[in-house]
Amino acid sequence: DGATKSSTFTLTEGDNSNLTIQETDLAGNVESIAIPKVTLDTIAPTLELISSVPALTNQATLTLEYRSDGIAKSKAFTLKEGVNSDLVLEDADEAGNIGRIIFSVELDTIAPSVSLVSAIPSLTNNSALTVDYTSDGVAKSRTFTLTEGENSNLTIQETDLAGNVESIAIPKVILDTIAPTLELISKVPALTNQ
């Protein structure tokens, strides 16, 4: 009857129907008013990753495909060089509940450092050429099978765990396995006293 009042309802999870406010005046007259149905949702959405999350990558943009309560979605993350810890994939439902997945990814965009250790001969008669080198400080070797003549475009290529590639060119090597042809110019006597 013009007086402002309030009622507090304790909702239960899910649909809350049949909520009513009832007032009785001094004469005992009763009036009830129905409250529209209220749905209580306190449960965060269930997030399910569809994409695999790499521990190590050389791609600065990471796009994850996922489902939020069964609905397919995607989100892109911009990574910084090094370890990206505490990356958060989160999604909110209509009630404002937030589901979260926290993960970590390392970004490595730097190609391995490759250095030759062996001296490379410009001319050889050995068809097997073993080259010693280091890749990010780790000692390695590779054997090339040379063909007769000039051997150009020999390269050593290394790929690190993140997929970064570094190539280094081997100086040209000439393989010569043919013995020189000897031709006598002097006459060889069958008998001499010299």
Side-chain angles (χ1 to χ4, degrees):
D1 288 335
T4 301
K5 297 186 177 183
S6 67
S7 293
T8 300
F9 296 87
T10 299
L11 303 178
T12 57
E13 190 72 22
D15 285 346
N16 291 264
S17 304
N18 302 320
L19 300 176
T20 60
I21 293 174
Q22 183 173 287
E23 282 290 321
T24 305
D25 63 17
L26 295 176
N29 301 301
V30 178
E31 177 69 19
S32 295
I33 174 168
I35 305 296
K37 181 181 73 175
V38 178
T39 301
L40 174 63
D41 176 7
T42 63
I43 301 171
T46 300
L47 302 186
E48 177 190 0
L49 283 174
I50 300 171
S51 306
S52 60
V53 179
L56 179 65
T57 182
N58 63 355
Q59 301 298 311
T61 299
L62 174 67
T63 300
L64 294 183
E65 307 290 331
Y66 67 99
R67 292 187 186 93
S68 178
D69 282 344
I71 300 172
K73 297 185 177 184
S74 68
K75 182 177 179 181
F77 296 84
T78 299
L79 305 178
K80 65 181 188 299
E81 191 74 21
V83 177
N84 295 260
S85 58
D86 298 330
L87 295 173
V88 180
L89 174 65
E90 65 179 25
D91 199 65
D93 62 17
E94 291 182 358
N97 302 301
I98 298 175
R100 291 184 179 88
I101 297 176
I102 300 173
F103 59 98
S104 176
V105 178
E106 182 178 355
L107 174 64
D108 175 9
T109 61
I110 301 170
S113 174
V114 180
S115 301
L116 287 176
V117 175
S118 302
I120 307 299
S122 58
L123 178 65
T124 182
N125 65 351
N126 188 347
S127 63
L129 174 67
T130 298
V131 177
D132 296 319
Y133 65 98
T134 61
S135 176
D136 281 343
V138 178
K140 297 188 176 186
S141 67
R142 181 175 171 189
T143 299
F144 296 88
T145 300
L146 304 178
T147 57
E148 192 70 24
E150 289 188 2
N151 290 265
S152 304
N153 302 320
L154 300 176
T155 59
I156 289 174
Q157 181 171 289
E158 281 289 316
T159 304
D160 65 16
L161 295 176
N164 302 300
V165 178
E166 178 68 12
S167 295
I168 112 179
I170 305 297
K172 180 179 70 177
V173 179
I174 297 174
L175 173 64
D176 179 2
T177 62
I178 302 170
T181 301
L182 302 183
E183 179 185 356
L184 284 174
I185 299 173
S186 303
K187 184 177 181 180
V188 179
L191 180 64
T192 181
N193 66 351
Q194 299 297 315

